[in-house]
Amino acid sequence: MLLLFAALLSLATVSLIGSEDRPSAGGLYREALVGQPLSINPLLHPNDPVGNDVGRLVHAGLVRVVDGGRIEGDLATGWTTSDNGLTYSFQLKQGALWHDGRPVTSADVAATIAIVQAPGFAGPAELGTLWRRVSAETPDDRTIRLRLSEPYSSFIEACSLPILPQHLFPSADGSMLDNVASYEPVGAGPYAVQSVDAERIWLVRSQGYAGQRPLLDGIELRFYPDAAAALEALLDGEVDGFAGLTAAEAASIPPSRQLEIRQAPLQEQQTTLLLNQRSPILAEQAVRRAIAMRLDRASLVDAAPSAVPAYGPIPAFSWAYSGTEVERQPDPAAAARTLDEAGWVGAPVRSRNGRLLRLEIAVAAEPSQIALAEAISAQLASIGLRADVHPVQPLDLYRERLIPRRYDMALTGVWLGTIDPDPYWLWHSSQADTGLNFAAYRNPLADQMIQQSRSDGDPGRRFAALSAFQRVWSEDVPSMVIASPLLTYATTATLHGVRLGVVPEPSARFQHLAEWYVRTERVMTFGR
């Protein structure tokens, strides 16, 4: 009897003990990037996609933005905000270290802000403008207090500004261009730069990162001259991932390559048809409304399959997006009637008082952009509006057309640069002459709603103001948001734990990189 009981107990014990594979630290991930970074100082070129990829891995801010809207502490454990919305107090995490082993302190944060505030700041002007309204106080090494001159509802997102080490950037003149640390960076992010050359940048896991420690030992970012070369490297096994594929290229990869394909819309980026209010024809609201009524985004996206339809000045992932205000179905018949009523008549090209309804679409000389512009031109031709497609070099499009406002229509990519739904830089009238409001849009009511949404931190009142702004914008049609590009990301099947989440811009694919792994370990489990 005792022997039988012992045998049963042994069987029960065995049934309660098992094992399973779990993620383990170690291993290397290699990724192909197209081009080289303009700088690896994150303050100099924050709009550079390759630099952003490096910066997200190497640097850290007080906070970080996750999944397109959630703000969580990065170098900071948390923060408090005064009732009037003018003072933000942050506590730094204990044990946070720069990659050279020195502790991160509040003095580093204050020094970084001073660099951005300097008159000679070499980075984007709008970044300096924002931070010059802020004063920094350092009550102790782990406390940083930021005081605003006026309320700014999206300021907490601005606190994701990458922090630089004061001991390497002691001068606050803002130039940074002659500082060797701008090219051999020391950050406080999850990975440290081990080496940089013309072909690659080697990153190793930092032991002093204050956030969630990644599992991968190292990351190698390899630079390729173009997407074709990067794709070839992926297919040849030289790299483990590439995020610049088109949907067609991804579909053509044979299963034998054992690659995982993931896709996500880049909702912080918008392909937009700018309608220049300085154009005599486009200054007329009826013409702009007719364009909006005619264009069919769904069929236009077929001409650019690596994209999804997008609507309005605020991206669809945002809490402030108001689809009822901006999502309108195409109505070619209504577009034709609108032009008739405005006195634009005739065929095949309408005219009024001897003037043809003829415009030009300036577009970057890239095949996908030209194809989309030609599809837009064909749709507008069906209502008697002739739109001639004029390709120009990408830099010339920006420098010779958009900045001086010398164009009729321009098809261009717009990067919002923020997950906060603040339309100020692109649509406020103060930016119409020399800022980023390239459409030269002016409407006092729209300005009022923008200002209200910036100064009021109450979410309900902000939503109401931004909904009203989207309504006014949609009625005025200062431009047409056509699509958001689709990120198509291929990684080897041996890389596990990858999830993209909400990806506003390409470097956000790394936001959950701490969960990625290539190695596992067998561990005992109990109770199953």
Side-chain angles (χ1 to χ4, degrees):
M1 185 70 179
L2 287 175
L3 289 174
L4 178 60
F5 176 77
L8 291 173
L9 181 61
S10 176
L11 288 172
T13 302
V14 169
S15 68
L16 291 174
I17 299 176
S19 63
E20 65 181 15
D21 289 328
R22 290 183 180 174
S24 175
L28 173 70
Y29 171 67
R30 305 163 301 168
E31 182 163 311
L33 301 180
V34 176
Q36 296 177 326
L38 296 176
S39 169
I40 41 183
N41 180 324
L43 301 184
L44 287 175
H45 299 284
N47 296 335
D48 171 36
V50 179
N52 275 345
D53 287 344
V54 177
R56 187 174 279 267
L57 299 171
V58 172
H59 294 281
L62 288 171
V63 302
R64 74 184 198 117
V65 182
V66 182
D67 287 329
R70 191 174 80 252
I71 308 291
E72 62 183 31
D74 199 1
L75 291 174
T77 58
W79 60 93
T80 59
T81 309
S82 63
D83 291 341
N84 61 8
L86 294 176
T87 304
Y88 289 72
S89 297
F90 296 86
Q91 285 294 120
L92 299 183
K93 292 178 179 177
Q94 213 158 17
L97 301 176
W98 294 109
H99 296 154
D100 60 7
R102 297 201 185 191
V104 178
T105 71
S106 58
D108 296 309
V109 181
T112 301
I113 294 171
I115 289 172
V116 177
Q117 292 174 331
F121 176 53
E126 59 270 21
L127 192 60
T129 299
L130 189 159
W131 281 96
R132 289 184 190 112
R133 301 183 299 169
V134 180
S135 62
E137 302 171 4
T138 56
D140 57 57
D141 283 350
R142 292 185 53 225
T143 305
I144 181 77
R145 187 173 297 131
L146 306 178
R147 298 188 188 275
L148 283 65
S149 59
E150 58 184 2
Y152 180 36
S153 55
S154 59
F155 179 68
I156 190 61
E157 185 202 346
C159 293
S160 62
L161 178 80
I163 304 302
L164 300 180
Q166 184 189 32
H167 62 279
L168 297 180
F169 291 89
S171 173
D173 62 8
S175 67
M176 301 181 290
L177 295 175
D178 297 328
N179 191 320
V180 68
S182 288
Y183 309 95
E184 298 175 2
V186 172
Y191 285 90
V193 175
Q194 185 177 62
S195 65
V196 184
D197 58 39
E199 296 181 352
R200 72 200 69 194
I201 180 167
W202 282 93
L203 307 176
V204 294
R205 184 173 53 221
S206 170
Q207 299 305 312
Y209 179 52
Q212 182 181 356
R213 299 280 178 86
L215 293 170
L216 296 170
D217 279 343
I219 296 176
E220 180 189 357
L221 301 176
R222 296 190 181 183
F223 308 134
Y224 292 88
D226 51 45
L231 178 58
E232 182 179 358
L234 176 69
L235 296 178
D236 288 347
E238 293 178 12
V239 295
D240 306 309
F242 176 45
L245 288 82
T246 66
E249 288 170 339
S252 68
I253 295 176
S256 60
R257 296 292 185 179
Q258 295 187 325
L259 295 173
E260 298 284 346
I261 308 296
R262 297 171 179 84
Q263 291 184 317
L266 300 171
Q267 295 184 2
E268 197 174 278
Q269 298 183 2
Q270 297 176 331
T271 300
T272 301
L273 183 66
L274 297 173
L275 308 178
N276 190 357
Q277 317 291 282
R278 293 184 180 180
S279 162
I281 292 177
L282 291 172
E284 188 176 341
Q285 188 181 49
V287 175
R288 301 196 307 272
R289 284 185 171 178
I291 292 172
M293 293 174 186
R294 174 59 192 95
L295 292 184
D296 182 350
R297 290 174 176 82
S299 61
L300 289 174
V301 166
D302 288 341
S306 293
V308 294
Y311 305 81
I314 292 176
F317 75 83
S318 173
W319 57 266
Y321 179 70
S322 183
T324 57
E325 302 295 351
V326 297
E327 294 183 15
R328 309 287 169 82
Q329 294 302 310
D331 190 340
R337 286 195 303 272
T338 299
L339 292 175
D340 287 340
E341 293 166 1
W344 293 98
V345 295
V349 180
R350 294 172 182 264
S351 65
R352 186 177 67 187
N353 300 327
R355 181 171 195 166
L356 288 175
L357 186 57
R358 181 177 180 179
L359 298 166
E360 179 187 273
I361 303 177
V363 61
E366 298 171 352
S368 62
Q369 292 294 291
I370 294 172
L372 181 56
E374 289 175 344
I376 290 172
S377 176
Q379 289 193 8
L380 295 179
S382 70
I383 59 170
L385 191 161
R386 178 172 173 177
D388 300 318
V389 176
H390 185 76
V392 296
Q393 291 303 309
L395 184 59
D396 292 339
L397 176 64
Y398 178 72
R399 184 174 54 196
E400 298 179 8
R401 297 303 190 93
L402 298 184
I403 290 179
R405 278 63 168 168
R406 285 201 296 264
Y407 69 94
D408 295 325
M409 297 185 284
L411 185 66
T412 185
V414 173
W415 182 51
L416 302 178
T418 173
I419 57 93
D420 187 86
D422 179 13
Y424 177 84
W425 300 105
L426 297 178
W427 303 113
H428 194 274
S429 63
S430 65
Q431 307 300 305
D433 293 326
T434 58
L436 299 178
N437 181 354
F438 296 129
Y441 174 54
R442 300 177 187 272
N443 184 314
L445 182 57
D447 286 351
Q448 179 184 339
M449 296 299 101
I450 291 172
Q451 289 296 154
Q452 183 178 332
S453 72
R454 297 189 104 209
S455 60
D456 193 337
D458 179 80
R461 291 192 294 269
R462 283 198 78 199
F463 180 80
L466 289 169
S467 293
F469 163 73
Q470 290 171 85
R471 184 183 314 116
V472 171
W473 191 94
S474 185
E475 292 171 353
D476 285 345
V477 197
S479 293
M480 283 282 294
V481 176
I482 304 295
S484 286
L486 197 63
L487 176 75
T488 302
Y489 193 17
T491 59
T492 178
T494 57
L495 179 68
H496 306 286
V498 179
R499 64 183 176 103
L500 295 181
V502 178
V503 184
E505 48 82 26
S507 74
R509 69 188 183 277
F510 293 137
Q511 63 190 329
H512 299 297
L513 183 133
E515 303 168 10
W516 299 9
Y517 63 97
V518 295
R519 293 183 180 176
T520 60
E521 59 181 350
R522 199 74 177 169
V523 297
M524 301 291 288
T525 61
F526 300 91
R528 295 185 180 181

